[in-house]
Structures are given as C-alpha cells and as structure tokens.
Amino acid sequence: MDLYINIILLALMAITALAILRMTNIFAIVMLFGIFSFLSAVLFVVMDAVDVAFTEAAVGAGISTVLMIATMALIKNQEEKRPLGHRPWLPLLVVFITGAALVYGTLDIPAFGDPNAPAQKHVAPYYLEKSISDTGVPNVVTSVLASYRGFDTLGEVVVVFTAGIAVLILIGGRLTRPTKRRDK
Amino acid sequence: MMDYIIGHYNYWIAIFLMMVGFYIVISRGNLVKKIIGLNIFQVSVFLLYITMSTVKDGAAPIITEGVKLYSNPLPHVLILTAIVVGVATTALALALVIRIKEAYGTIEEDEIHEQDHSL
C-alpha cells in the first residue's frame, strides 16, 4: 500500500514540476511550488522521515512561499516574458546528457527500501542502539541533530544568521523609499 | 524486471525533477522563476537522500518497545539541516532580485544584459 502511495505522489510531483515549467504567470508558479513542497512533505511521511516532513511543510512550503509572495508584491511583476527567437535546444541537450549520466549512475544502486544497502550498515546502527543510553532521547533524529552532531547545527545557525544579516543589508532600509519618491 | 523498475522508480523520478529544475534555471530568463527552478532542484536532492534512508517495513526512527527495524536517521538529519539552509539562501536570492529590480527596473535576464551592453 505504501508503495502505491509513493508511486502516485512521485507522479504528481513530476506533473507539478512540468506545470511550473510551462506556466508564465509568476503567482501561479509560486502557488504550484507551494503544492510541490507539500507533496514532497507527504512523501517524506510515507518514507518514514516524519521530522523532515514537518520541517519541509513548515519551512519549505510555508516560509519559502511567503517570501516569494512578499517579493512579488515588491517587484510588481506578474508575467514571465518569453523572447520570440528563443531556442531551447542547447539547454535541452545539456539536460538530457546530464540526466542520462545520472540515470546510468543509478543502474547498480541498491533497490528502494533494501535493508542490506551499504547506507544502512555503517553509522546508523550505532545511533539507533546507543541513542537512549547516550542521550536519553528516544527520537534518534533529535539526538543526532542536537547532541551527537550539535556543532553542525550550530554551524547551520551561523549560516541562517549570516543570510539574515545579508538580507537586511541588501533591502533593510530601502523598502519604504520608492513610495516616498512617489509622494514628492 | 518489474521489481527492478519499482526499486529504482524513486531515483529516476528524483533525477527527472532535478533535470526539470536544472532546465528551468538554464533556459528561463525570469529571475524569480530561476529561483523556483533552483528550489525544485533542491527538493529533488532531499527526495534522493530520503529514498536512500528508507528501509522496507521500517518504522520512523523513534525508539519504541517491540520495534526492531527503523529507517536510517542520518540522512534525515542532513536533510533537516539542508531544508533550513535552503530557505536562508532562497531569502538571500529573493533579496538580490528586489535590489536588481530597483537598479534596473526589470527582472528579465535579457533586458538586464541589454542595459549593461554585456551580451
């Protein structure tokens, strides 16, 4: 049953991505991207990654969409322009070659859900066995994120902080200026 | 053969989404659309990692009495970090788009090149 849900959700995501590619109205594209993120969040629940799912739903689908709509409100640009003499062949060729190379790379990869895949055998069993005795946290994702790999999370906070400061430097005092000019 | 296709379907769709995102980034001139293309690319990478972490009939990695088989928690942690960092970079990119709009009056790539006489 999980497998069928998985297949249908992935097909829906592919269709949504193609719709984003075809659309020219920016607002519709942003809304479709929100749908795309929510579909991926549901898929993460199906694949037993519950922590990732609610982060994706809250941060990926929620905050990203809000940021994009806020940007749209500021730039007042609703339609994407397509130049008439635009030739898609070179980008298509690049994309097909890259995709073919990547598919070639997946041919001998372990099948989906294989419990004996190398990725399942190395570090993960340690965390699953020792999480309770080392940290006392039953949720292994939390214990790895906040305890075993706490410094990585600190680094993540530094990245978010830097990005926040950069956004403030770029558009901090400027948002009100264009309307003031119009008043004069 | 059918088992092989079902077992690799997730990877192929992830690659397909990745290539759709890549195509949007390199073939479309609208900067907001380019950023959305980058985001699609990013979500496809998340999908690839979570696919690798899944174990058939495994439970979510929360230790419970009587459960023997769990999904791999390590990719979940990596992707959790990646999602948050991804939103931070998206915010920065959108801020740059707003500044470009202020400076050039457009967010179409070819018009920006025209104004700069750079292409």
Side-chain angles (χ1 to χ4, degrees):
Chain A
M1 194 61 208
D2 271 9
L3 195 66
Y4 293 120
I5 298 173
N6 181 40
I7 287 172
I8 291 166
L9 282 172
L10 279 167
L12 284 176
M13 281 181 81
I15 293 166
T16 316
L18 285 176
I20 293 174
L21 177 66
R22 303 276 307 163
M23 289 253 181
T24 55
N25 185 309
I26 298 292
F27 183 72
I29 292 172
V30 170
M31 284 297 115
L32 276 174
F33 178 71
I35 293 171
F36 184 80
S37 278
F38 268 118
L39 281 173
S40 73
V42 176
L43 200 58
F44 293 152
V45 174
V46 176
M47 294 202 267
D48 298 322
V50 281
D51 301 79
V52 183
F54 65 67
T55 311
E56 175 69 31
V59 180
I63 297 180
S64 285
T65 311
V66 168
L67 287 175
M68 282 169 189
I69 290 176
T71 309
M72 278 182 54
L74 283 170
I75 61 180
K76 300 181 182 63
N77 190 318
Q78 300 290 326
E79 281 297 319
E80 175 197 12
K81 274 183 229 153
R82 295 259 170 88
L84 282 173
H86 188 72
R87 284 189 304 271
W89 298 114
L90 184 64
L92 266 181
L93 185 75
V94 171
V95 163
F96 268 106
I97 291 173
T98 317
L102 288 172
V103 169
Y104 176 71
T106 63
L107 292 182
D108 56 355
I109 216 166
F112 173 59
D114 184 0
N116 295 315
Q120 258 61 271
K121 289 288 168 192
H122 284 292
V123 196
Y126 175 88
Y127 290 135
L128 288 169
E129 275 167 31
K130 299 288 177 76
S131 175
I132 294 272
S133 58
D134 280 357
T135 63
V137 180
N139 187 338
V140 185
V141 175
T142 309
S143 75
V144 175
L145 193 74
S147 176
Y148 291 109
R149 301 244 165 252
F151 279 112
D152 285 4
T153 309
L154 185 65
E156 176 193 335
V157 172
V158 171
V159 171
V160 174
F161 181 68
T162 314
I165 288 185
V167 169
L168 281 180
I169 291 171
L170 278 169
I171 55 170
R174 291 168 186 274
L175 296 186
T176 51
R177 234 180 255 170
T179 46
K180 268 182 200 162
R181 243 180 248 149
R182 226 169 275 153
D183 289 342
K184 281 170 195 167
Chain B
M1 188 62 197
M2 203 57 206
D3 281 351
Y4 183 81
I5 291 175
I6 288 172
H8 289 73
Y9 176 77
N10 278 44
Y11 299 114
W12 294 335
I13 293 284
I15 289 169
F16 175 77
L17 294 175
M18 205 179 277
M19 288 306 113
V20 170
F22 186 36
Y23 182 74
I24 293 176
V25 172
I26 60 177
S27 79
R28 295 287 184 264
N30 187 298
L31 294 176
V32 173
K33 191 150 180 186
K34 266 182 201 288
I35 292 170
I36 288 180
L38 274 178
N39 271 302
I40 292 177
F41 196 105
Q42 198 178 25
V43 171
S44 76
V45 174
F46 302 162
L47 214 58
L48 188 73
Y49 265 69
I50 301 299
T51 300
M52 284 177 183
S53 81
T54 309
V55 175
K56 201 173 188 306
D57 300 325
I62 298 167
I63 306 292
T64 328
E65 288 285 325
V67 181
K68 281 272 182 288
L69 200 59
Y70 297 100
S71 286
N72 190 341
L74 207 54
H76 297 186
V77 178
L78 297 177
I79 294 312
L80 222 52
T81 308
I83 289 174
V84 177
V85 170
V87 168
T89 51
T90 304
L92 186 56
L94 290 170
L96 281 169
V97 168
I98 293 171
R99 284 291 292 117
I100 288 170
K101 172 76 178 177
E102 274 180 26
Y104 289 89
T106 177
I107 55 165
E108 297 289 335
E109 202 183 28
D110 48 341
E111 291 170 11
I112 293 169
H113 281 307
E114 225 164 77
Q115 289 183 30
D116 277 351
H117 307 291
S118 63
L119 205 78

